[in-house]
Amino acid sequence: MANEKTADYGPLELLFGTWEGDKGEDFAPEPDEDATSLYYETITIERAGDVDNADEQVLAIARYHISVRRKKNDETFHDQVGYWLWDKANQTIINSFTIPRGLCVLAGGSLDIEKENDEQVTFNVTAKLGEEWGLTQSPFMNEKAKTLEFTQKLTVTKDTLSYSQTTVLDIYGRNFDHTDFNTLKRV
Ligand code: HEM
């Protein structure tokens, strides 16, 4: 890895910085009654240079950390570390991340770029169990709380970052759409 300062970050450039938002809404599975929780969140995204793969593919790297707390009690109830990766030659975007439940996701996709008024970029990525853009999880999660699919749409402008995402779970004997959305401001 190299070139932290000089890498061509392309659409990742809009992501860098610290973002905060308190309009988050999570819908998560429970054994009896599924629960909606309101949350606030901090996302930090840093330049991490670029990397060459097999002397052919160049990926620009944005390293991130997400911290999510429940409004009701200020407790952390979701934590996530990962990388957004940009493959300029193939116009491909990757969200590669892990959450501390024993689960890693490699979601890939494409971008929508609007440059007319303020520049706005939308990152669309998906991952499905058993596919190339996929995921892997611990034996426990495979048996008890299996993730089948992850879809995310994240839109960023100079000052605002918003996302909505759906994680399809096989849990408590049924399939469940675990959803999250929030809007954050640059601080
Ligand atoms: C803002 C983002 C997120 C929040 C606030 C959140 C919150 C939650 C909550 C409250 C539960 C129920 C936990 C419990 O029963 O103790 C849960 C379950 C789960 N979440 Fe998330 N989640 C988020 C994103 C994700 C993402 C991105 C993934 C994976 C791609 C994920 C995977 C899971 C899994 C596998 C479970 C089932 C575990 C269980 O309930 O026992 N979550 N999440």
Side-chain angles (χ1 to χ4, degrees), residues 11 13 16 22 28 31 38 62 67 73 77 79 84 91 96 102 108-109 126-127 129 133 136 140 143 187:
E13 197 66 52
F16 297 125
D22 63 358
L38 305 180
S67 170
N73 57 14
F77 76 145
D79 196 271
W84 282 100
Q91 300 282 303
S96 162
T126 59
L129 190 62
W133 297 123
T136 189
F140 179 89
E143 194 187 330
V187 293

Side-chain angles (χ1 to χ4, degrees), residues 26 28 39 77-78 99 101 103 141 147 165 167 169 178 180:
D26 168 71
Y39 63 81
F77 76 145
H78 181 79
I99 62 165
R101 293 180 181 276
L103 169 61
M141 297 304 273
T147 299
Q165 62 194 28
T167 308
L169 303 175
H178 173 25
D180 296 283

Side-chain angles (χ1 to χ4, degrees), residues 10-35:
L12 302 180
E13 197 66 52
L14 271 176
L15 295 175
F16 297 125
T18 300
W19 302 87
E20 287 182 353
D22 63 358
K23 303 277 186 297
E25 213 171 303
D26 168 71
F27 187 50
E30 295 293 340
D32 305 321
E33 201 174 340
D34 301 323

Side-chain angles (χ1 to χ4, degrees), residues 148-173:
L148 303 174
E149 202 173 323
F150 171 78
T151 310
Q152 180 184 36
K153 184 184 174 96
L154 182 146
T155 297
V156 62
T157 65
K158 195 164 164 285
D159 302 318
T160 306
L161 182 157
S162 59
Y163 67 83
S164 66
Q165 62 194 28
T166 301
T167 308
V168 182
L169 303 175
D170 173 359
I171 187 168
Y172 307 129

